[in-house]
């Protein structure tokens, strides 16, 4: 039955399993092994059962003086039926297995060689095996020897056939790659062609082609796939003492089929990628140096790369070396030609911007002109021009576009250690081609993947910056963008500084004119007050004039009666209509108390500021959005206040309004106090005259 099975099989391991299963059945034993001896002096445990469970035992050298060596010398079976028999043979039980009480082992012999042995063990009793077991096992071992030798020769023939077919397939792959290389002169196209073809041939999503820049001592990751996804890694120097230096020294492939071997060879994981389990690196050689490498990795298994993989990859790398060097020289020539054309184009752009700058003196106009031109030149919807305000230590976002839409961003301090602070310190542009380097986005904006920023510099300081961002990909910016942007920023610095000085001159001129206007208003009010001695007439004159000057229909003048602790609303207009408001006691701790305490104007430019300052609406009137309250001061006390409101907008009042109303209120204090004293004198004079008249009447009656 066994021999019939052997005759039907040519597969080596299948023959071993067939004989082993049959023998375990015949001998009714759960403990049986079939072992094979190789030329490398290793025992291979092809079939090993103990207590009914199949074991996986690693190959190992035969134990000196053990069963294998003994049978190799004697070519005779071994029967060990007692502990004394076991002592005659060295070796003992395999590590991790139990010691049996009886054992029978017969050699597997072909014509002239000892090939292996069949071993049956008994773990329960001594004297388990006799002549009948020995005879049957010896007969089967004799048949097994010839069958296994034939199967081994068949396997070897199949292996050689497969290797021949593999060599033919490799040759076909190499021919196709070489044909593609011969048809290409573009450096990156050759890289991509070879990389794509190798990914297809090896059925892998994990391969890289790297190129060494000797001048910069940088390795460029010109083709990088991991888990089937293309990566764009920044260049980096080779790891000192690592596999690159080993390849440069030996010009031989570096194979690491386990993580332990990778550690021993100094192979480190590239930042942003996963650690592999097996890796293969093959040098790309030029005439006199190592130009780069082809690297394959396996993330699932050890021992992934054999001689065939090394051979195919090495042949491809050899063809690549010459082709890539030729392509590099061609690319270099094309690059120089393109760079010359690009420089001419850049010069034309710079000239057009500088001509426009020369025609402009408006600060924001220059910023908008340059921003619009740069968005057009770089074909980008994402660009910003920022200006640093030294007084407030904040960056002002003068021109900000994201996804083609203009943004309004409030001024804010530069991020500590961020892009702008770095440029202030180094005066150098920043090219940030990864998210990690860019850092956080401004609140309310999206996170970009690449960014280039150049400082706007004048003679002694950094004035601001121009920034362009890319939201779709990393490594978007290089030398050409940096060069053009830096040249424009240099021109922009002088133009914007001139424009700022021009704007400052215009502002001072406008401020001077405004002060002259204010002075004219104040003079006209003071002339009117000087001609009046009537208290209410002065109030009305000032109120009407201020409504006219401020073009407002919402203004009030209030007078405080200290004795009665009442505020009198002497002049109140709302929405252009004069209204009558009864006297009221000031609210304790309210805005009146603040005026009394500080004697300073109070400005509230939003309803939130109203709430903070405790400003409340007079019953029967509307709540404004902005207000300014200016105290009317006498020599020793607060006499009253002038109040202007805006019912339509926030942030209606600034320094100019406060200054004008404060000047009027200061003049008004003296005039109103004089008018009050005049009125008081007139009242007392009238009262004296009335008393004299009454006294004359009384005297005439008495007479």
């Amino acid at each position: 039955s066994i021999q019939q099975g052997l005759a039907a099989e040519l597969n080596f391991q299948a023959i071993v399993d067939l004989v082993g299963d049959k023998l375990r059945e015949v001998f009714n034993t759960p403990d049986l092994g079939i072992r094979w001896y190789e030329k490398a002096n290793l025992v291979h445990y092809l079939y090993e059962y103990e207590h009914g469970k199949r074991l996986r035992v690693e190959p190992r050298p035969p134990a000196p003086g053990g069963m294998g060596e003994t049978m190799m010398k004697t070519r005779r079976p071994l029967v060990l039926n007692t502990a004394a028999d076991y002592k005659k043979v060295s070796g003992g039980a395999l590590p991790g297995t139990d010691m049996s009480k009886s054992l029978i082992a017969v050699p597997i012999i072909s014509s002239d060689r000892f090939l292996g042995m069949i071993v049956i063990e008994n773990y329960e009793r001594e004297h388990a095996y006799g002549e009948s077991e020995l005879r049957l096992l010896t007969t089967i071992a004799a048949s097994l020897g010839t069958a296994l030798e034939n199967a081994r020769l068949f396997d070897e023939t199949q292996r050689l056939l497969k290797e021949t077919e593999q060599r033919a397939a490799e040759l076909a792959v190499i021919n196709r790659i070489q044909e593609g290389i011969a048809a290409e002169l573009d450096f990156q196209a050759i890289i991509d062609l070879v990389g794509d073809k190798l990914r297809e041939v090896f059925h892998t999503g994990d391969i890289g082609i790297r190129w060494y820049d000797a001048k910069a001592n940088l390795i460029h990751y010109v083709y990088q796939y991991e888990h089937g996804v293309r990566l764009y890694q920044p260049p980096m120097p080779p790891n000192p003492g690592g596999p690159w230096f080993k390849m440069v020294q030996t010009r031989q492939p570096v194979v690491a089929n386990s993580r332990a071997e990778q550690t021993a060879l100094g192979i480190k994981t590239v930042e942003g990628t996963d650690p592999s389990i097996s890796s293969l690196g093959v040098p790309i050689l030029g005439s006199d140096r190592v130009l780069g490498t082809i690297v394959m990795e396996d993330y699932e298994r050890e021992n992934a790369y054999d001689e065939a993989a090394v051979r195919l990859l090495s042949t491809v790398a050899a063809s690549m070396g010459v082709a890539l060097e030729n392509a590099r020289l061609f690319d270099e020539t094309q690059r120089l030609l393109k760079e010359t054309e690009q420089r001419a184009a850049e010069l034309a752009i710079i000239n057009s911007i500088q001509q426009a700058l020369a025609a402009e003196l408006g600060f924001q106009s220059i910023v908008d002109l340059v921003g619009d031109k740069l968005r057009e030149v770089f074909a980008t919807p994402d660009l910003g021009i920022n200006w640093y305000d030294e007084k407030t230590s904040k960056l002002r976002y003068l021109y900000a576009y994201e996804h083609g839409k203009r943004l309004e961003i409030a001024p804010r301090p530069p991020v500590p250690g961020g892009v702008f602070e770095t440029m202030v310190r180094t005066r150098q542009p920043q090219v940030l081609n990864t998210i990690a380097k860019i850092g956080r986005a401004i609140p309310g904006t999206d996170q970009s993947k690449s960014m280039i920023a150049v400082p706007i510099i004048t003679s002694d300081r950094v004035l601001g910056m121009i920034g362009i961002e890319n939201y779709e990909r990393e490594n978007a910016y290089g030398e050409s963008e940096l060069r053009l942007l830096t040249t424009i920023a240099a021109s922009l610095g002088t133009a914007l500084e001139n424009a700022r000085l021009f704007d400052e001159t215009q502002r001072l001129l406008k401020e001077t004119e405004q002060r002259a206007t204010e002075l004219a208003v104040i003079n006209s009010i003071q002339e009117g007050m000087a001609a009046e001695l009537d208290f209410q007439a002065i109030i009305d004159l000032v109120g009407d004039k201020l409504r006219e000057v401020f073009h407002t229909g919402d203004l009030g003048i209030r007078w405080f009666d200290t004795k009665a602790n009442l505020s009198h609303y002497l002049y109140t207009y709302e929405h252009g209509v004069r209204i009558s408001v009864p006297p009221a006691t000031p609210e304790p701790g309210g805005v009146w108390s603040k005026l009394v305490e500080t004697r300073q104007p109070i400005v509230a430019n939003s309803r939130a500021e109203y709430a903070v300052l405790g400003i409340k609406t007079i019953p029967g009137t509307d709540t404004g959005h902005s207000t300014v309250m200016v105290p009317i001061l006498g020599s020793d006390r607060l006499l009253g206040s002038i109040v202007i409101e805006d019912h339509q907008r926030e942030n209606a009042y600034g320094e100019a309004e406060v200054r004008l109303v404060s000047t009027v209120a200061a003049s008004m204090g003296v005039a109103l106090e004089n008018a009050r004293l005049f009125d008081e004198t007139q009242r007392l004079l009238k009262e004296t005259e009335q008393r004299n008249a009454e006294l004359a009447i009384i005297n005439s009656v008495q007479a």
Side-chain angles (χ1 to χ4, degrees), residues 207-229:
I207 192 166
I209 300 174
R210 301 165 189 179
W211 193 258
Y212 181 61
D213 180 350
K215 290 181 182 177
N217 188 33
L218 288 175
I219 290 177
H220 293 264
Y221 296 80
V222 288
Y223 184 96
Q224 192 73 21
Y225 269 82
E226 182 179 84
H227 309 312
V229 177

Side-chain angles (χ1 to χ4, degrees), residues 27 77-79 104-106 130-139:
F27 283 97
L78 278 175
V79 180
I104 184 171
V106 298
E131 286 186 10
S132 62
E133 291 87 0
L134 180 61
R135 185 170 57 251
L136 175 56
L137 210 57
T138 303
T139 304

Side-chain angles (χ1 to χ4, degrees), residues 52-197:
K53 291 184 179 180
R54 188 154 190 171
L55 307 181
R56 301 292 174 193
V57 182
E58 291 296 317
R60 66 189 63 218
M67 287 191 300
E69 280 199 353
T70 302
M71 281 193 285
M72 213 179 289
K73 290 176 183 176
T74 65
R75 306 282 178 106
R76 298 182 63 77
L78 278 175
V79 180
L80 308 178
N81 270 323
T82 65
D85 292 341
Y86 274 84
K87 288 180 180 179
K88 296 174 183 176
V89 181
S90 303
L94 289 171
T97 66
D98 298 335
M99 176 62 85
S100 59
K101 292 186 176 180
S102 302
L103 177 150
I104 184 171
V106 298
I108 302 169
I109 297 173
S110 182
S111 57
D112 62 342
R113 289 189 303 122
F114 173 78
L115 304 177
M117 61 183 172
I118 303 172
V119 180
I120 305 177
E121 297 185 80
N122 191 300
Y123 291 87
E124 296 174 356
R125 62 193 178 89
E126 294 184 341
H127 299 285
Y129 304 112
E131 286 186 10
S132 62
E133 291 87 0
L134 180 61
R135 185 170 57 251
L136 175 56
L137 210 57
T138 303
T139 304
I140 291 168
S143 302
L144 187 60
T146 305
L148 284 178
E149 186 66 356
N150 290 341
R152 187 188 65 77
L153 292 172
F154 179 77
D155 278 0
E156 181 68 11
T157 304
Q158 292 296 99
R159 184 187 66 77
L160 292 172
L161 178 61
K162 188 176 179 182
E163 192 171 293
T164 303
E165 290 171 351
Q166 189 173 7
R167 289 288 175 89
E170 288 174 11
L171 189 59
V173 170
I174 290 162
N175 285 340
R176 289 203 306 275
I177 290 175
Q178 286 176 331
E179 285 170 10
I181 289 174
E184 277 289 350
L185 264 177
D186 179 73
F187 184 87
Q188 189 61 49
I190 292 174
I191 296 285
D192 292 344
L193 182 148
V194 173
D196 292 345
K197 188 55 87 175

Side-chain angles (χ1 to χ4, degrees), residues 335-445:
R335 185 188 66 77
L336 292 172
L337 179 61
K338 189 176 179 181
E339 193 171 291
T340 303
E341 292 169 351
Q342 190 173 9
R343 290 287 174 90
E346 287 174 10
L347 190 59
I349 293 165
I350 291 162
N351 286 341
S352 73
I353 289 176
Q354 286 177 333
Q355 284 169 8
L357 290 179
E360 275 290 349
L361 269 176
F363 186 86
Q364 189 61 46
S365 298
I366 291 175
V367 169
D368 292 345
L369 182 149
V370 172
D372 292 344
K373 195 71 178 176
L374 286 175
R375 286 199 301 122
E376 176 192 333
V377 168
F378 284 100
T380 179
D382 309 290
L383 186 139
I385 300 175
N386 304 340
W387 192 259
Y388 184 61
D389 186 343
E390 290 184 332
K391 291 180 182 177
T392 60
S393 298
K394 289 183 178 180
L395 273 176
R396 293 170 55 210
Y397 296 80
L398 305 179
Y399 185 96
Y401 269 82
E402 183 179 82
H403 309 313
K405 292 183 179 178
R406 187 149 191 174
L407 307 181
E408 298 297 332
I409 302 173
R412 64 189 63 222
V415 176
V419 174
F420 184 73
E421 279 202 354
T422 302
M423 285 195 291
V424 169
R425 188 178 72 254
T426 64
R427 299 206 169 196
Q428 294 298 316
Q430 296 287 298
V431 180
L432 311 173
N433 269 322
T434 62
I435 293 173
K437 289 183 178 179
I438 294 170
R440 290 185 189 173
I442 296 170
T445 67

